[in-house]
Structures are given as structure tokens and as C-alpha cells.
Amino acid sequence: MQRFTRDEMASRVARDIPEGAYVNLGIGLPTMVANHLPKDREIFLHSENGLLAMGPAPAPGSEDADLINAGKQPVTLLPGGAYFHHADSFAMMRGGHLDFCVLGAFQVSKTGDLANWHTGAKDAIPAVGGAMDLAIGAKKVYVMMEHTTKQGQSKIVDACTYPLTGIRCVNRIFTDLAVIDVTPRGLEVVEIVDGLAFDELQRLTGAPLAAGPALKESQ
Amino acid sequence: MQRFTRDEMASRVARDIPEGAYVNLGIGLPTMVANHLPKDREIFLHSENGLLAMGPAPAPGSEDADLINAGKQPVTLLPGGAYFHHADSFAMMRGGHLDFCVLGAFQVSKTGDLANWHTGAKDAIPAVGGAMDLAIGAKKVYVMMEHTTKQGQSKIVDACTYPLTGIRCVNRIFTDLAVIDVTPRGLEVVEIVDGLAFDELQRLTGAPLAAGPALKESQ
Amino acid sequence: MINKIVPSVAAAVADIHDGATVMIGGFGTAGMPSELIDALIERGARQLTVVNNNAGNGDTGLAALLKAKCVRKIICSFPRQTDSWVFDSLYRAGEIELELVPQGNLAERIRAAGAGIGAFFTPTGYGTMLADGKETREIDGRQFVLEKPIHADFALIKADRGDRWGNLVYRKTARNFGPIMASAAKCTIAQVRETVDLGGLDPEAIVTPGIFVQRVVRAPADALSEPQAVLTRSRPNS
Amino acid sequence: MINKIVPSVAAAVADIHDGATVMIGGFGTAGMPSELIDALIERGARQLTVVNNNAGNGDTGLAALLKAKCVRKIICSFPRQTDSWVFDSLYRAGEIELELVPQGNLAERIRAAGAGIGAFFTPTGYGTMLADGKETREIDGRQFVLEKPIHADFALIKADRGDRWGNLVYRKTARNFGPIMASAAKCTIAQVRETVDLGGLDPEAIVTPGIFVQRVVRAPADALSEPQAVLTRSRPNS
């Protein structure tokens, strides 16, 4: 079966981020989106640890231990960027000033509930970081994840079985098989990977799907 | 009858402010305290409109409309001073970071209730400013006022009749007749102006007074 | 390319609508965005709710906005000043509504709006008439009053320098309410003394990051752009 | 004359007592006051409650403090990292208590302590297990959780430069929790790369005004003062 590669997924997310947007890219897969933002768009990357207008990774040898991102990797600051403290940084999220955040996920429910911080395993050490703040901290919350687990189970579900990160917070899901909107009417498919039929996508998905307006038009 | 002059009152308040103290001086009479702080003590003056380490009034002709105090008079900033925004400025008060504030008052009750913002007159336009924040905004709240009104009524009362600024917030009262502490045991006189007997002071005061330890010792 | 710098104060306030809630920076006249207020008067928006520390001084700036009968309600801490005669007479005539808020609660309510806080418990005002009817609670032996955020449609503020991304620095005590109002409004309009190139502001010293600012306008406009500004001003509803 | 600059990290932490609540700045190792932490280990205070974003990296800094069995409880948002083996083993052995707080709530609870806020309603964490048992409320159609401030006895933070009145500026993202922790502790101790004369910091760019800082210490100490620092370190309880 054809699947979007991780780069294709990141590129597809990037396509939905317009010029001028303030964006937080979560740790892991979402970080890749930065490499696919069109060079001709000015997009402002926010990092929870207190910077805005984050630039690319520094050249080897130019790393600065005081200039890192949320994943604690060395980064740079663009001209026009700014530093601020943690309360101000999370005020930007909680106050609804970010336009988009892009998060990884274990599960997303049909109503947009998000589970992405804890598997609930008894022996796991819980660590939440900024996940719950990000889940409620942008005008649009995008999730970027594989459509199914390695065992083939759908990560899109009727109701999350893992501990929740946020309730009814996800707006759009980008997987390696499709782009799906969470709407008041339920899940609506925006795009499907080439060669995959809608019915087949539905079979691989743990919640009811409908064809969204764009998909209907293209078919 | 002998009375402390306004300068003597201000000087007396200044004596109770130790080196290193962070202090807010309210509008009006308390502003005079600044002129009496000993030159050999480093004391930090806070102004609610966003500055710390406020200096004296500028030389005529050097006024800067962007550098004013809470009374909107031109001031200066000492080397080592800092500017900050209004939420941070009032966080300094509310968070208990100021050591002292000195306020004027219409009335102080025997339990330390303060009335200093509104006479309650029907046609008065109410204006509170930072008064209520200051009333709860320092480790010690000093009040500096005439002992009696122009009509001879005591401004120290059993219970305030004017609208309250804060409850049980005043620690020490400096008047033109005496220095009085508000204690859990009631009002205790610390000092009396020369030539005024305790009984006479009591007669001029609308709440019961006791002699404090320092006064007893000096008698 | 993102360029938040707009050519004139008239253009900057062109969409402020009747009935809008407008925060206006300043403590007295320090930090008051007078040119933006003048443009708002020209625009002629009515029935505004204004949030400011005071209620105008003399006959210019905020006082002129009140005098032009643009304001239905004012939320402030200290309306009565020696030179607040415009407000005083409107208030006595019952032509303006007043919501009086202790200054620190005013600042914190504005900050709460910008920070997405739903409500907070403050000790300020407890037991006073300004807390009448408000929910109270004892927490760890101290009494608090519940206060809610103040959101706005627009904020008009004055900064010293700004860049095309909306980053701002202020000047001395003219900073006052500017940074928190910028965070609490849907659309923040900053008049600046000077615009600078991107990177011209020290990232360690930027007080208001551009995320909180939608429009930047140089005011007063310099000699070169003044004729255009005047021209624009003659078409108030453009 | 007020001089908050102390001669050594040992002197700076000399009164941190058993059972104290100690905030420690830093996000990972950026902004972590490692020299102050080392001094605290030397001092040997026990049963501490530590507030930090993480729970230590590798075997140095906060991790070393945990390893030395000085910490009874940690309040943090993200303990589990690839190099958090010290915390991991203590936690699995039941030798350390963990209070897990979403990062933004952690920051806001610290800020609330410094700002004298009794409690606040936050949307973060609503409906999750981290809000279990907490009071909730619907405000204007949105759900919130009530969170309380986190106060501390001491804050150990790292800044870039400081003066004798305790004014501080930070460096890049090493700023993170420093300014808010400084405001939330009874005694804030800042290690700085460099001390400067009064007036050497731009008053427009000071991030932490001295009112929030009780002690400033240069660390690492420079070559000249290093022998003394070593000497002091050999008498941990002085």
C-alpha cells in the first residue's frame, strides 16, 4: 500500500500554514515541518522555552548551549526574534496567540480528544511537559501521526483509551494515509494518499469517516 | 498645643525606614518622606507606574514627560534603577515584595482598617487608583495623617465611617500628635509630641489607646 | 513578507467599529497614543467602551475622545484628576458609564485576558465596596476576591520603536499598560516614534514580541510623510 | 550601602535548611545554576522539595543533587528524559515523590506566587488525569481548572550579568524560569557570569529588578578567586 513518507507528511502540513502564522511545532515528527515551510513565506516559529522566530539548526561548531528548542536541541534565532520568560511563553499559548500548533499523538478521538503524553502503562514514568498547554494553546491544533500503530491498530478512535492530553482540541489530522478534519459533524476526509480507496481508508480507521467537500469535488 | 510639622512627621516616618528597604510613598503628604530619607541609607523607592529606584525631581528644564511618578510629577531614575510594565509593578505590591508603603488617610480604625480613597459623598466622583493595592501591598503599611480633621474630629476611629480601602492592613500611624502602633492588643502609643499628656492624646483620639513598651520606658 | 507597518494613523484605525471595546495605553499622558486617538475621533466610531487607567486630561487625547461623545463606558482606576473636567461633566450628566477598578486589579485583569486565565483570586479590594457582589474565598487564611479578565477588540498603545514584525520597545515610564494591553486585544495598534529594520531591536530587550501586535504606525509622522497623513485624514471613513 | 553580592557559592547557600522548598531554574541544562547546586550538595541539606521543569540530566547539576539523596519530592513537568537515569531509578525505588504539573501551569503557578494571586482558573489540563480531584468551573462557555500558587523558601537561578542591587539580565533561552522563580521565593540566589557596576545594566532591559533578588554570586568564580572558592568548598557547613 502506498503511504505518505514522513517528509511528504511534513510537506503536506507545511502547505496548510500560511504566511504570517505563529506556529509551535511539537517535539518529534512535527519538528520536521520546519524543513518544509516554503522559503518565500515568513512564518514565526515559537518555542515553549522562551523564543519566537526560531531559525534553523546552527552550523556544526556554532551551537550555543543557551539557545535551544523545546526538544533541547541547539537552534538559532532569526533577526527580528525575541526571548522571553516561561510565564510569558505559556501566556502566548494559553492566551490563544498562536495560530497553529502541530503535535504528535498516540490517539485522536472522533471528537478531537487528544492522547499524546502517556501510554498509561503502570511502570511508565509520566512526563507531560508542555503537551497539555499546546493542546489548548493555538487557534488550530494539527496532529501529525502514523495512521495505525505498528500492530496495525487505528490511532484514530471512537474514544481514547490512553490518558487524555486535552478534550475536543484537535482540528485536523495528518497521517501517512490521509488528511482528516475534525468537524462538529464528525470526521471528514480532506485528502487520501494516491491509490487508496475511501472504503479501504475507512476499514483502517477506528471511527466513522465522511468525505469532506474538497474530496467530493476531486472525485 | 505643640504639633509635629509636616516636615517633622515626614522625618519621623523616614527614621523608621531602614537601609535596603523597598518603599512605596503614596500621593500627597507621604511624598514628603523622600526628602527626609538619610543620605547615607540606600533605600529603594517604587512607583506604581513602573519604576524602581526612583530619584529626586529633575532640575528645572530637565523634565521628561515619559519619566513621572504615581502623582504624575516629573522624577528621575537612579543608576541601578529599572522600568517595568504595570502588571509587573503591581505584582511587586500584591506579592508582598515591598517592605513599606506610606499612605495618607481619611480614617484609620482601631483594628487597622483604612479609609483613604472616597469620602462617600453622593456627588463625589470616585477614583481609587492604586490605593487598595497599596493597602495590602507591603509587609508594613504606614499611615501618615493629621490626627484630627479641620473640624477637630479624630481620624483614628472605632470603626471607619468612610468607604474602606482595606481591612486590618495598617501597622503604624504617624500623626502630628503621636506615633501609634496597631497591634493585636489594640492601639499602642509609641511616641507623643513634646508637651502633650497621654490623657490629652486619648481625649483627642476616637479609639482606646494604651501606652506601648517604648513609651512606658521613656516615662 | 510580513509588514505590519501601516502608512498612516487613519489607516491604522480604519476598522474600529461602533460599540468596540478599545484599550488605550498610558498613565496620565505618559504613553498615551494621542495621534491614534485623534485618528479615532476623525474616524468617528461611537458607543465605545474604553479601558484606560484614567479618564482623560485637559482637552486633548482621551479627553478629546470623550468630548466627541464617542465613549459609552469607561473602565478605569482613577478618573478624577485636577484636569479631568471633560469626564467630570459627562459623568455628572449621566452621559458616560463608569466601571471603577483598583489599578492593580485592572492591570491583572488585562494581563489575565492576554494569558488565557479564566479568572483569578486577588486580595486587593476585599471587604470594600469595589468588591460588592463579587465572589470571595479564604485561601490559606487570607481573603480574596474573584476577578475576571478584561478582553478588548482593539488596543491603541504608544511605544518608542518598532519593526515590521511588530516587535516593540518602550521609553521609561511610558511603558506602563502598553505591554499587557497589547496581549489582551484582538487587534493591537502601536504608534511608535521610530520604525527600525528587522534585527534593529535587541532580542534580549524586546518588551512586546510581535505576536501581540497587528499594526505599527510611526507617529507623529515625519515631515516627509506629513502631507500624505493630512490627505488621508480628510477622508475619515476610508 | 546595599551589596547583595556574596563572595562564594558556599556562602550563598549556607542557610538552606533541611526540608526547604527550593526552586531551581533551567530548562534542561540551559539556565541551570550548576555551581549553586554543587554548593548545595556540599552543604548537605536534606529532605528538600525541588521545583524545576525537569528532574535532572546525566550525573551533574540537579541529577547530582538527587543522587546525593537530598531531595524528598520534586515538582516538575517533564522528569523522563533519555538521560534522567538518576531520577528514574529513585522514582522506581519509591525514594522520591513526584508532583507532575503541565509546564504552563507550573510557570503560571510560580508566577502567581510572586504576584500574590491566591489561585487562578486555567484551561490547561481540564478533563485529564492531572486535574483529577481539582476544582473545575465553566466560565464563558469554556472549562477551567483551579490551580494554586507554588511558593518557595529559596530560588537558585542562573543569570548572565547582575549588579550589587540584584538587578539581572539573562542570556538567550537560559532565561526560561529564572525571572518567575526569582519572584516566588523568600530568598532568591542568582549565580551570574559577570557582575557589573550599578548603572551598568540598561534600565529598559533589566529583566529581573533587584527587588526579587537577595544574593548574587559570580560563578564559576574567576581564576583569581578560584583558590578561595576551593578553600570555602572544603568547609561545607560554614
Side-chain angles (χ1 to χ4, degrees), chain C residues 179-214:
Chain C
I180 52 174
M181 287 183 170
S183 76
K186 290 194 201 96
C187 178
T188 292
I189 307 166
Q191 70 169 67
V192 298
R193 184 182 56 80
E194 189 187 0
T195 54
V196 301
D197 287 342
L198 219 54
L201 302 176
D202 178 359
E204 301 281 8
I206 287 171
V207 173
T208 296
I211 190 171
F212 296 124
V213 178
Q214 281 65 47

Side-chain angles (χ1 to χ4, degrees), chain C residues 134-206:
Chain C
K134 297 193 173 182
E135 179 176 339
T136 61
R137 184 180 298 204
E138 183 176 317
I139 301 172
D140 296 333
R142 198 173 182 192
Q143 297 293 341
F144 292 86
V145 182
L146 188 69
E147 290 284 356
K148 289 184 65 178
I150 302 175
H151 294 269
D153 298 304
F154 295 90
L156 308 183
I157 64 173
K158 181 182 176 178
D160 190 51
R161 285 174 296 152
D163 65 26
R164 68 177 173 87
W165 283 358
N167 293 303
L168 302 176
V169 297
Y170 300 81
R171 189 166 176 279
K172 303 188 176 182
T173 58
R175 186 185 302 193
N176 57 67
F177 283 90
I180 52 174
M181 287 183 170
S183 76
K186 290 194 201 96
C187 178
T188 292
I189 307 166
Q191 70 169 67
V192 298
R193 184 182 56 80
E194 189 187 0
T195 54
V196 301
D197 287 342
L198 219 54
L201 302 176
D202 178 359
E204 301 281 8
I206 287 171

Side-chain angles (χ1 to χ4, degrees), chain B residues 10-33:
Chain B
S11 171
R12 182 61 191 79
V13 173
R15 186 141 60 87
D16 281 1
I17 298 177
E19 174 150 79
Y22 291 88
V23 182
N24 187 298
L25 301 175
I27 298 176
L29 195 52
T31 306
M32 291 180 64
V33 173

Side-chain angles (χ1 to χ4, degrees), chain D residues 75-97:
Chain D
I75 303 175
C76 73
S77 86
F78 207 78
R80 188 192 62 234
Q81 301 181 274
T82 51
D83 57 356
S84 61
W85 50 76
V86 173
F87 171 81
D88 296 359
S89 69
L90 288 170
Y91 182 76
R92 291 192 198 286
E95 293 180 15
I96 193 163
E97 185 184 338

Side-chain angles (χ1 to χ4, degrees), chain A residues 143-206:
Chain A
V143 160
M144 187 178 167
M145 64 179 187
E146 313 291 326
H147 203 90
T148 55
T149 65
K150 281 174 192 145
Q151 291 74 37
Q153 287 176 305
S154 176
K155 296 173 75 171
I156 298 172
V157 294
D158 256 337
C160 293
T161 54
Y162 288 147
L164 292 177
T165 309
I167 290 183
R168 294 175 184 274
C169 57
V170 177
N171 299 98
R172 180 169 276 198
I173 310 164
F174 299 81
T175 77
D176 50 345
L177 298 183
V179 178
I180 298 170
D181 276 344
V182 182
T183 81
R185 301 168 299 280
L187 299 174
E188 293 190 351
V189 180
V190 179
E191 285 176 30
I192 308 184
V193 66
D194 277 349
L196 183 67
F198 181 90
D199 290 352
E200 183 65 4
L201 179 68
Q202 178 64 80
R203 203 184 56 77
L204 293 165
T205 305

Side-chain angles (χ1 to χ4, degrees), chain D residues 112-233:
Chain D
I117 299 300
F120 59 91
F121 285 102
T122 172
T124 302
Y126 176 81
T128 75
M129 60 186 264
L130 296 188
D132 275 356
K134 297 195 172 180
E135 179 177 338
T136 62
R137 185 181 298 202
E138 183 175 320
I139 301 171
D140 297 333
R142 196 173 182 195
Q143 299 292 340
F144 292 87
V145 182
L146 188 69
E147 291 283 357
K148 290 185 66 179
I150 302 175
H151 294 269
D153 299 303
F154 295 90
L156 308 184
I157 63 172
K158 180 181 177 180
D160 190 50
R161 284 174 297 151
D163 64 26
R164 67 177 174 86
W165 283 358
N167 293 303
L168 302 177
V169 296
Y170 300 81
R171 189 167 177 277
K172 304 189 176 180
T173 57
R175 184 183 304 192
N176 57 67
F177 283 90
I180 51 174
M181 287 183 170
S183 76
K186 290 194 200 95
C187 177
T188 291
I189 307 166
Q191 70 169 67
V192 299
R193 184 181 56 80
E194 188 187 1
T195 55
V196 301
D197 286 342
L198 220 54
L201 301 176
D202 179 358
E204 301 281 9
I206 287 172
V207 173
T208 297
I211 190 172
F212 296 124
V213 178
Q214 280 65 47
R215 296 170 201 160
V216 173
V217 60
R218 190 172 49 181
D222 65 11
L224 210 69
S225 57
E226 190 58 38
Q228 196 197 345
V230 170
L231 188 68
T232 315
R233 235 177 249 171

Side-chain angles (χ1 to χ4, degrees), chain B residues 70-149:
Chain B
K72 301 184 177 86
Q73 301 156 316
V75 293
T76 53
L77 188 78
L78 299 178
Y83 302 110
F84 33 84
H85 64 57
H86 243 81
D88 281 350
S89 185
F90 281 81
M92 287 180 194
M93 295 188 201
R94 203 189 307 106
H97 304 284
L98 295 178
D99 296 298
F100 299 92
C101 71
V102 185
L103 299 172
F106 298 143
Q107 293 177 325
V108 178
S109 83
K110 63 183 178 189
T111 57
D113 291 354
L114 172 68
N116 78 345
W117 73 282
H118 192 11
T119 60
K122 279 266 181 279
D123 64 337
I125 295 176
V128 67
M132 291 184 181
D133 302 279
L134 282 166
I136 57 91
K139 295 191 187 83
K140 296 277 181 196
V141 174
Y142 287 171
V143 160
M144 187 177 167
M145 64 178 187
E146 312 293 325
H147 203 91
T148 56
T149 66

